[in-house]
Structures are given as structure tokens and as C-alpha cells.
């Protein structure tokens, strides 16, 4: 059993959470000033209930403040759903026994973001188990971190029908996560080029998105995927193209938003916005003329302040019926504070849902870093000469010191403390 405590202090600094709970209860603070409280009941706890109470402590100089006490009452019962998770380098596998939950079917379960075909539970499930293989950077997986670990979280929830867009009957909710050390192999899984993404949209058919980088504004030959991660100097221009291929004719591509983040995850915060609600938010963004199924643009390379040395570009986009003035695509740049339009009914099949694509990583460096190796090479010969001179000088100084020591025959002893 796990829950999260979040507190805010206006004029003080939050330092800890104080627990009154069973002995096996643990607490962990993440980088967002939140505390995760976790307790694993034992077999002898079955049929009983236990309070877990806590206060949050903050300091302001020499003053210490505590919040009001809050309590969670935990009732320990038999487990309804038998499940377990296997953590891989670039994905998580969640397995749920169908026999542990009556009438449980993969048709009525979905991950946080089921729009990508990779997120389908029907691919790996069988007659006895529901199996989901979840990429760490897709299917709505959220990333959290503390000082030592990265946590990738997702969940399985029930829907009335896989054709429904929403549900208000959460009959089952299975949250799961994988935890990786920050100094581990998990970071290596992001250093690969993302291939074409295939999407099936209800009532709009199947289409694919391809997100690639190009060396210049001619957009003739895309950069070789084997060369990823790509390296750019700060301030140089990065050229990108998103290509859509649809099974339905007379469609156009619309890029609603694009943003940059240190991780390839749509839920990572903070992010830097490039395009928002169809409007250019970064002053260096340049959009180039292209066909209706393409979006070509470029930005000046930048680097996130801090320890992050890589950037992913992620975009939210959709397909619309060409020439229809009632679609989101036709409205272009929209001010979210002034618009009151409602989304048209999907049955009209004039626009698809929004989909998420990303590409990277990009390694950003300063111009001085690129010439560093040349400077070091030019200094090598000088360093050899200087090192030789230093060795000769050290030999001469040592000889003088030894000579003087033999001639003086002075015995040294510590000075009294008052003479230091």
C-alpha cells in the first residue's frame, strides 16, 4: 500500500515528514518536495485495520513548524487481483491473472495512453493472463525521480468497451512501476532513433507518423538513424520534418504543439515549449512550406540549464479532413484563454484524436567544447618539454635541500602552543 504526501510552506522550508505507523512503514522523499509512504502488510495483519498518521515539519531559521496531523486508515483484506511486474532495460511487463478477477478481459482493460498500437494488451495476452509490455517512453508512462532513482509508473484501468473514449466506472485499477538507479543501463535505452509510429484512430483509419532530422532546409536526405544521438553546437539550426501517411485520402496534418525536454516522456516536467495551440512560442522557430501531409520547421539549438546534456523534441499532432473549416486544423493558432469551441463529435470523422510523437536525443555542446581536443593536441609537445624541465628543477631543488640539511645539523622540535 502506497500513498503520497504533498505539503506547501509559504515562508519556511519543508524538511521531513514524521510518521506514526506500523514498524515496517517506509518513507521516501522525491525531488518535488513530496513524500511517498509505503507499507507492506504481513499475513498476520489480514482482517485488521491500521492507522498511518503523519505530520510535515518545516523550519524557518531557528523556528520549527508542524502541519496538522492527518491519518489514513488501512483495512487489510484478501488480494483481489494477482499480478506482478517484470522490469527490463527499456520496458515493463505487467502480468495479471484472469482467474483472480471475475470476467476480466483484455478487451476491457487499457493503459494510461492506449492510442499507440504498441500499447495494446491484446498482443501478448492469452487465455489465463493479461500481459502488457509497456515501453518506458510510451503508453502514458510517467517518470518521477529522487536523488538516487528514476521511477517509471503506469496503470491498468477498466473501460466499458474498448471503443469508448471515456469511462466513469473504474471497476479495476492496477498501478505498477519500475525503479532504476540513476547510474544504470536504463539511460542507454533512450540513445536510439525512434522508428515510424503506426496509429489506429477510431473511425479515422490507420496512419503512420515519421519524425526525422535533416542537415539543411532543403529536406532532401534525412540524417542517418545510425548516427544518433545527434550532436549540435549551441545556436546552430536544427531542421526537422514530420511526415504523415494515411489510409484515407484528402487529409492534412496539423501540429498542435511541440516541446523539448531532457527525457523522452510526454509527462515530464518542466518542458520548454516551441509550439503551443498551433502558435509559435519560441522566437527561433521557422516553419517552411510543405505539402499537406508534412510539417517542416527548424529551431536554434539550446541546452537545458543544469546537468542535462540531452534534448528530445516531442510533438502533439492530428489528422483532419482537408478543406473542412470546422476542423481544429483549419483554425490554426488559437488563444486558449479566448476560445470556447467544443470538440466536434467524433462520429463525423472530420478529425482524428491527438497523437504524440518524439525524436532524439540531441546532444548539445558549446562551440568551445568542439575545439577542446584540438587545443589539447597542440599542447601535448609543450607539456612534454615543460614536464622535463620540471623534473630537472625538482632534482636540483632536492639536492640543495639535502645539502643544507647535512650542513646545518639542526634538530627540529614542535613550538609551545603560545608561540605558534
Amino acid at each position: 500500500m502506497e500513498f503520497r504526501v504533498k505539503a506547501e510552506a509559504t515562508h519556511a522550508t519543508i524538511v521531513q515528514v514524521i510518521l506514526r505507523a506500523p514498524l515496517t512503514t517506509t518513507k521516501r522523499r522525491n525531488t518535488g518536495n513530496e513524500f511517498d509512504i509505503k507499507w507492506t502488510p504481513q499475513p498476520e495483519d489480514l482482517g485488521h485495520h491500521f492507522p498511518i498518521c503523519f505530520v510535515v515539519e518545516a523550519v524557518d531559521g531557528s523556528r520549527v513548524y508542524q502541519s496538522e496531523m492527518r491519518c489514513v486508515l488501512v483495512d487489510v483484506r484478501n488480494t483481489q487481483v494477482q499480478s506482478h511486474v517484470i522490469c527490463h532495460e527499456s520496458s515493463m511487463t505487467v502480468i495479471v491473472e484472469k482467474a483472480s478477477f471475475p470476467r476480466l478481459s483484455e478487451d476491457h482493460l487499457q493503459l494510461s495512453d492506449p492510442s499507440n498500437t504498441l500499447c495494446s494488451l491484446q498482443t501478448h495476452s492469452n487465455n489465463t493472463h493479461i500481459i502488457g509490455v509497456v515501453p518506458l517512453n510510451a503508453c502514458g508512462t510517467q517518470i518521477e525521480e529522487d536523488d538516487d532513482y528514476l521511477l517509471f509508473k503506469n496503470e491498468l484501468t477498466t473501460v466499458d468497451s474498448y471503443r469508448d473514449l471515456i469511462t466513469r466506472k473504474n471497476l479495476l485499477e492496477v498501478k505498477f512501476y519500475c525503479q532504476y538507479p540513476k547510474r544504470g543501463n536504463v539511460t542507454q535505452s533512450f540513445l536510439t532513433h525512434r522508428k515510424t509510429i503506426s496509429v489506429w484512430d477510431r473511425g479515422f483509419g490507420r496512419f503512420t507518423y515519421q519524425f526525422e532530422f535533416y542537415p539543411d532546409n532543403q529536406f532532401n536526405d534525412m540524417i542517418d538513424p545510425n548516427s544518433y544521438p545527434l550532436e549540435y553546437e549551441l545556436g546552430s539550426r536544427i531542421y526537422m520534418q514530420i511526415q504523415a501517411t494515411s489510409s484515407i485520402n484528402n487529409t492534412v496534418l496539423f501540429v498542435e504543439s511541440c516541446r523539448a525536454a531532457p527525457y523522452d516522456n510526454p509527462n515530464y516536467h518542466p518542458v520548454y515549449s516551441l509550439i503551443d495551440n498551433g502558435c509559435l512560442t519560441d522566437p527561433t522557430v521557422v516553419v517552411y512550406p510543405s505539402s499537406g501531409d508534412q510539417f517542416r520547421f527548424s529551431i536554434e539549438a539550446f541546452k537545458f540549464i543544469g546537468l542535462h546534456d540531452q534534448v528530445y523534441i516531442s510533438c502533439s499532432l492530428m489528422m483532419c479532413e482537408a478543406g473542412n473549416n470546422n476542423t481544429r486544423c483549419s483554425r490554426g493558432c488559437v488563444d486558449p484563454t479566448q476560445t470556447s469551441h467544443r470538440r466536434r463529435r467524433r462520429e463525423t470523422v472530420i478529425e482524428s484524436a491527438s497523437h504524440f510523437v518524439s525524436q532524439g536525443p540531441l546532444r548539445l555542446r558549446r562551440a568551445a567544447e568542439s575545439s577542446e581536443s584540438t587545443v589539447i593536441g597542440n599542447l601535448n609537445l609543450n607539456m612534454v618539454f615543460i614536464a622535463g624541465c620540471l623534473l630537472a628543477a625538482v632534482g636540483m631543488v632536492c639536492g640543495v635541500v639535502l645539502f643544507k640539511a647535512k650542513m646545518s645539523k639542526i634538530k627540529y622540535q614542535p613550538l609551545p602552543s603560545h608561540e605558534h
Side-chain angles (χ1 to χ4, degrees), residues 32-331:
N33 270 338
E34 299 174 347
F35 300 90
D36 293 326
I37 312 301
K38 185 177 182 179
W39 176 52
T40 303
Q42 304 302 311
E44 58 269 20
D45 298 329
L46 185 64
H48 302 279
H49 57 268
F50 301 84
I52 298 179
C53 300
F54 55 90
V55 296
V56 176
E57 190 172 84
V59 296
D60 181 14
S62 60
R63 298 181 179 181
V64 179
Y65 302 93
Q66 290 184 347
S67 67
E68 295 182 357
M69 179 176 290
R70 297 286 186 266
C71 294
V72 174
L73 188 63
V74 182
D75 191 11
V76 183
R77 300 179 183 178
N78 284 322
T79 304
Q80 278 190 309
V81 178
Q82 298 291 338
S83 61
H84 66 279
V85 180
I86 303 173
C87 300
H88 309 285
E89 287 191 359
S90 59
S91 65
M92 302 179 288
T93 299
V94 56
I95 304 174
V96 180
E97 295 184 13
K98 291 184 177 181
S100 64
F101 193 83
R103 301 178 302 278
L104 187 63
S105 170
E106 60 269 19
D107 292 345
H108 298 156
L109 279 177
Q110 67 178 18
L111 295 162
S112 296
D113 180 11
S115 61
N116 194 323
T117 54
L118 293 174
C119 308
S120 174
L121 298 175
Q122 300 181 13
T123 304
H124 303 282
S125 300
N126 53 42
N127 294 332
T128 59
H129 293 83
I130 294 175
I131 303 174
V133 179
V134 186
L136 298 183
N137 56 358
C139 308
T141 302
Q142 296 186 5
I143 182 173
E144 298 178 1
E145 61 178 321
D146 57 21
D147 293 337
D148 301 312
Y149 294 96
L150 293 174
L151 281 80
F152 295 84
K153 297 185 175 183
N154 209 313
E155 64 179 356
L156 291 172
T157 55
T158 52
V159 292
D160 295 331
S161 171
Y162 72 92
R163 296 185 180 89
D164 291 341
L165 297 179
I166 65 170
T167 180
R168 292 186 172 90
K169 297 180 180 180
N170 286 324
L171 302 179
L172 176 64
E173 185 179 81
V174 179
K175 296 183 178 181
F176 59 94
Y177 70 90
C178 281
Q179 175 177 288
Y180 300 88
K182 283 188 173 180
R183 297 181 179 272
N185 292 333
V186 65
T187 54
Q188 299 300 320
S189 63
F190 296 117
L191 303 182
T192 57
H193 170 270
R194 296 199 66 177
K195 298 181 179 179
T196 301
I197 298 175
S198 179
V199 179
W200 180 87
D201 191 275
R202 185 178 68 90
F204 210 80
R206 184 176 297 277
F207 43 91
T208 60
Y209 296 120
Q210 186 176 18
F211 191 179
E212 299 292 349
F213 291 87
Y214 287 79
D216 51 47
N217 59 4
Q218 300 302 312
F219 298 96
N220 291 326
D221 299 314
M222 71 179 191
I223 297 177
D224 186 0
N226 295 323
S227 62
Y228 283 67
L230 307 180
E231 290 193 357
Y232 289 90
E233 291 185 1
L234 295 183
S236 63
R237 190 151 287 275
I238 304 173
Y239 299 92
M240 294 161 280
Q241 174 181 287
I242 301 175
Q243 174 80 47
T245 304
S246 174
S247 59
I248 299 179
N249 297 326
N250 196 34
T251 56
V252 294
L253 170 68
F254 178 67
V255 176
E256 195 168 26
S257 66
C258 283
R259 54 193 181 180
Y263 297 102
D264 187 14
N265 187 284
N267 301 300
Y268 182 86
H269 293 282
V271 297
Y272 180 71
S273 177
L274 305 173
I275 302 173
D276 189 34
N277 290 299
C279 307
L280 307 184
T281 55
D282 179 85
T284 70
V285 176
V286 176
V287 178
Y288 301 92
S290 58
S291 59
D293 60 351
Q294 295 176 336
F295 182 74
R296 295 173 172 176
F297 67 110
S298 69
I299 61 170
E300 285 188 5
F302 64 92
K303 181 180 183 296
F304 281 93
I305 298 175
L307 299 178
H308 303 293
D309 62 349
Q310 64 184 25
V311 173
Y312 286 84
I313 308 297
S314 307
C315 296
S316 176
L317 36 87
M318 61 193 309
M319 299 292 290
C320 298
E321 179 183 346
N324 192 324
N325 295 329
N326 295 321
T327 65
R328 173 67 186 92
C329 305
S330 64
R331 287 191 291 272

Side-chain angles (χ1 to χ4, degrees), residues 345-356:
R345 288 176 57 86
R346 296 289 307 283
E347 287 76 4
T348 56
V349 197
I350 62 173
E351 62 186 46
S352 72
S354 297
H355 300 102
F356 176 85

Side-chain angles (χ1 to χ4, degrees), residues 7-26:
E8 295 181 357
T10 305
H11 302 293
T13 302
I14 297 173
V15 292
Q16 65 172 334
V17 61
I18 302 174
L19 295 177
R20 183 181 179 89
L23 292 178
T24 56
T25 305
T26 61

